[in-house]
Each structure stands twice: as structure tokens, then as C-alpha cells.
Amino acid sequence: MMPYFDNFAHDNLPNQELQPDYLFTDLPQFQHPEILNCVDKLLDNHIEEGSGNNICIRNFDTIWTYQDLYEKANQIAHVLVEDLNFKSGNRVLIRSANNPMMVACWYAILKAGGVVVATMPLLRDKELTTIIDCAQISHAFCDKDLEEEMVLVKSDYLKQICIYGNSQLEELMKDKPKTFSNFQTKNDSVALIGFTSGTTGLPKMTSHFHKDILNICECFPTYSLQPTPNDIFTGSPPIGFTFGLGGLVLFPMYFGASTFLIEKPSPDVLLKAIQEHKITICFTAPTAWRIITTKVKEYDISSLRKCVSAGETLPIKVWQDWYDATGLKIIDGIGATEMLHIFISSNEENMKPGATGLPITGYEAKIIDLNGNEVPANEHGRLAVRGITGCKYLNREEKQKEYVEKGWNITGDIFRKDEEGYLWFVARGDDMIISSGYNIAAIEVESVLLTHEDILECAVVGLPDEERGMLVCAHIVLKDNKKASDAMKNRIQHWFKEVAAPYKYPRVINFTEALPKTETGKIQRFKLK
């Protein structure tokens, strides 16, 4: 193996004693040779095995085979090393919506021995600058449609910005060879850096190895989806989010299937794609599943066989409404950028509606108190997980110590485990509302509110209060905004007391036309507090 020229990522990994325990590495599907570039398995092997003419990526305008993606990734890798003064180990940022060229750039960076930093399209220049400075990023690929913010970035680390979309990159690619000798990385070489969406301070850099990328392909999809080469994946999460990276790139390509990429995936566009392109597996967030349910009868979704929800917990009403409308069971799951992808979920055989599920193959979980002791069944506590992947923050020893305790990854979620071992989401650690001595989980209040006939969406937060400590505050989107009134607030409050424990009722109700959300559809509760 050739050593990296630029060792920033490896030099900033947490010390071994601060890293989590890794389990199940003795299982055959998680064993890897020392020399490993994950692109060999995800892309190059399909060419060597004669599957190059199989469709790999589609969108509404384009169809690429595995051969097409392979050749373009190789040409971009040549551009990096021959034209852009790239050195192995350099971090390379990608700024793009979900499209085929973004995937080609993602593979090219790893082929050349780089570290991928894929970002969300909605980030602005200040946020991009912070990311670039934290990871000392030297190069960036940027979709022409998103160039405006990219060129505003001012960082001493950034040396090259290469624009694509009938632009500079395509011009540099056109005469490059269509083969490339992949850089010989080790299985524990850093392949990607994912930035967490923290609300304060510097963002945290989570790092993952080449073997981690292959390991998650043997975990959630094998456990919950059982993919075949005939499957067509689609979804709404950006590839810059590890939920989207797995669901729309890694999983389909690991199993030789295909992916349908959508740059602006509204519910109607998702349904149109499912109908017209016979999608079989769809990944999106609970808020999107709720809206799609109201429109599904207008489309033919008979091709769809697996529905996946993540990003935030899936309300039982959303699950039930979708099942009643389609006969399909949404697969809920919880993952984390720190763990790379989903680690607790279910499949159609072991699903318990309302529960997040069980630890999937490759992981184990327990519920602990503040002292790290496991709590009895059905008691609330902190979720602790360990398995085939784990948290490796770069250059943030104090944050690493917070996330990893005695070898376990502490996700920041409050869960309970029932007598059968099923795990039930209670709240994010900072979403528990303590009012007059009662512990009230925001998600419990939301789940009740969502059953009201006039409520379309809601988000519940705690408001400081001198008398009670905190008040339950509900931000509500009505199906008909014209009904918003003090009288409607009173009706909702009285109704809530009749259908749920009265101490949980929202003492404060704010009507709003829309809830603030991330690009992945997750409600930004911190903006409501």
C-alpha cells in the first residue's frame, strides 16, 4: 500500500482508548482484507463481473449504466491527480443536489485516494467556510446551479474549485482515459467525513473508514430490505446526509441494483417517479410519508415493495394511515451520522407498529441511566449502542468523551425497551419536558395531536415557566388555516384532555402555516424553543 501524502484525517482520529468497542467483526460478512478501497466492491467489480450494461443511475432526464458511471468516475479521478494538483489523503468537498455527476465525483475522490466531504445543497457560504476550515479541505466539486455560494467562500485551505454541469469539469474529462488504477487504501483508511447538524458551536466531524462503508451495506439492507439486482431505489434525503448516501448510492450499488435520483423531491415528484419508473424501494422522512399518504390514491404505486422512514421518529398514526391506504408497512429506523447509518429497525416479519424495532444484525443496544447502569424493562433511559461501526470524531476529544462511554455509543436519545426487547423512542435527550414534576416526552404529545381531525402537522417543545418549570407548547399546522382561532385552541386543549393524560396537554398553542425543517425533512425544534 502507498502511504497517504496528506495524513490530516488519520492524525486527528481519537486515541484508541477513546474509540467505541467494535463487535461482530468475526462474522464473515464483516471481514475484509487489509488493502481495501470500497469502490472496488461498490462499482468496479460490477464491470469485472460483466454487469457493466446494467442500469445503475436514472433521473427524469438521464440513464447511466454501471459502465457509464465507472468510466466517468475514472475520468474525474484522472482530472484530480493530473489537473487539480490533488494529493492522496486530501479532503474534497462536493456541493450538489442528488444527481449522477455527484455520484461520479463521490467515487472518483475515493478512487484517487481522497476523503469525501459531501454537503447539503442549502448550505450558505459561511457554513461552507466553517466546514472547509474545520476539515482543511483543499478541493471542491460544485454543481453549476449551486456555484453562487461556493465562490463566496474565503478559506486559505481551499485551493481548487471545479464546476460541473456542462462546464469546467466536463471539459477537463473529455480526453481522459476511461480506466484508472484505484489508490490502494487500507480497510481502516478514512473514506468520508460527515458533519453533524449541531445547533451551537463548531460542527463535529464524524469519520468513517472504507470498511465501515461496506459493513453498513451488510447491515440494514440485508436485515430489512433483502435487495436484488432488480430493485430500483429512490428517496428524498440528500446524498450529503448519510441516510441518503446509504439508501440512494451505497445500498443499491452494493447489490447491483439501480437508483433513481431526484434533485427536488417533493411528495408529488416522488409519487410520479414511483409510478413512471416502477420504483421498488423508497426512503423518506415521516413528514413526507404523512403528505404522500394524502395523495397516494392519485398514483399507481403497485411496484413499491419496501418503504423506509428515518431522520426522526415515525408517529404511529402516520404508519397506520399509510398501511390503511396501501397495505404496505413503513420500516422505521434510527441511525446517526456518528454510526454512519441505521442500527435499530425492523422487517416485515418482526415489526411491532409504534416501536422503532430491534438492534439489527451487526449491533446491540441497551437502555442506561445517568450512571451507565442498565434500567429495567419499560423504564425510560439513555440509548447506548455498539457494533460494527462507531463514533470517531476528528480533533474533538471532549466531544468524543461525551459520545462514547465505556465502549458504548451514547446517541442522545431517550428510549425504553419492552419485555420482548423492542425499543421504543421516547424523546431526544433535549426534548424531554419537565412540567410540575411530570416527565413529558414531546413525541408523546405530538402523537396524540396528530390524531385530531383538523391537525396536519405539529411540533411540541418546552417553554420555561417560573411556576411549573416548563410548559408544553404545541406549534400546529392546521389542514385549513382559516380555522386558526382562540376558540380552536380551546377545542384542541379540551379534546386532548379527553383522549390522553391531562397533565400532558399543551397549555400553549401557536398556529403556523409551516414548521421549520431541514433538507432531510427533520423538524428543527430548536427554532421553535
Side-chain angles (χ1 to χ4, degrees), residues 114-388:
V115 178
V116 178
V117 185
T119 59
M120 307 290 191
L122 290 183
L123 294 183
R124 298 296 181 246
D125 65 295
K126 290 182 180 178
E127 296 160 313
L128 292 167
T129 300
T130 299
I131 287 172
I132 288 165
D133 287 345
C134 283
Q136 299 185 16
I137 290 169
S138 57
H139 297 72
F141 288 121
C142 180
D143 189 317
K144 190 173 181 62
D145 291 342
L146 299 171
E147 181 180 6
E148 185 177 350
E149 293 289 332
M150 192 76 237
V151 298
L152 295 175
V153 169
K154 297 289 186 283
S155 172
D156 293 336
Y157 293 108
L158 188 62
K159 309 302 181 189
Q160 297 275 358
I161 300 175
C162 192
I163 307 299
Y164 72 79
N166 295 317
S167 189
Q168 175 193 6
L169 180 55
E170 286 86 353
E171 185 65 25
L172 291 170
M173 288 168 59
K174 66 181 184 182
D175 295 322
K176 298 298 184 188
K178 294 181 178 179
T179 57
F180 184 87
S181 181
N182 294 346
F183 192 89
Q184 288 195 305
T185 49
K186 294 177 68 175
N187 62 37
D188 60 355
S189 295
V190 174
L192 66 85
I193 296 172
F195 278 78
T196 61
S197 52
T199 59
T200 59
L202 286 174
K204 298 183 289 289
M205 295 183 283
T206 65
S207 63
H208 295 288
F209 298 151
H210 279 261
K211 65 180 178 182
D212 297 334
I213 289 172
L214 298 184
N215 284 342
I216 65 166
C217 296
E218 286 285 353
C219 294
F220 175 72
T222 300
Y223 183 87
S224 296
L225 305 179
Q226 301 82 47
T228 75
N230 296 322
D231 277 311
I232 306 172
F233 289 64
T234 198
S236 63
I239 294 170
F241 178 43
T242 54
F243 178 45
L245 174 67
L248 302 180
V249 179
L250 304 181
F251 300 163
M253 295 178 194
Y254 187 87
F255 291 94
S258 65
T259 187
F260 189 94
L261 299 180
I262 306 172
E263 296 202 7
K264 296 180 179 179
S266 68
D268 281 304
V269 172
L270 266 177
L271 287 165
K272 178 185 176 188
I274 293 168
Q275 174 178 278
E276 294 182 359
H277 296 272
K278 306 304 178 189
I279 304 298
T280 61
I281 299 174
C282 182
F283 286 68
T284 193
T287 48
W289 285 119
R290 165 176 279 277
I291 297 168
I292 287 171
T293 302
T294 66
K295 300 170 177 284
V296 70
K297 295 301 183 186
E298 302 167 27
Y299 295 85
D300 176 7
I301 64 156
S302 58
S303 61
L304 197 60
R305 69 179 192 87
K306 299 286 183 179
C307 310
V308 183
S309 177
E312 58 184 354
T313 193
L314 178 69
I316 182 63
K317 185 169 192 306
V318 175
W319 189 95
Q320 191 65 53
D321 287 350
W322 176 257
Y323 180 72
D324 291 343
T326 67
L328 294 167
K329 300 176 180 179
I330 299 176
I331 298 167
D332 194 10
I334 180 173
T337 308
E338 287 84 356
M339 304 293 288
L340 190 51
H341 215 271
I342 291 171
F343 45 80
I344 294 170
S345 188
S346 58
N347 53 46
E348 290 181 355
E349 283 68 44
N350 66 14
M351 188 177 294
K352 185 182 285 191
T356 305
L358 299 162
I360 65 175
T361 302
Y363 296 94
E364 64 180 26
K366 63 180 181 178
I367 310 302
I368 61 174
D369 62 19
L370 291 176
N371 296 317
N373 301 311
E374 192 162 1
V375 303
N378 289 313
E379 282 196 15
H380 296 176
R382 299 183 298 157
L383 178 64
V385 184
R386 61 183 181 178
I388 202 64

Side-chain angles (χ1 to χ4, degrees), residues 76-91:
I76 297 169
H78 278 289
V79 170
L80 273 170
V81 298
E82 295 166 15
D83 299 312
L84 301 182
N85 196 30
F86 168 89
K87 305 296 183 187
S88 59
N90 284 167
R91 277 73 57 215

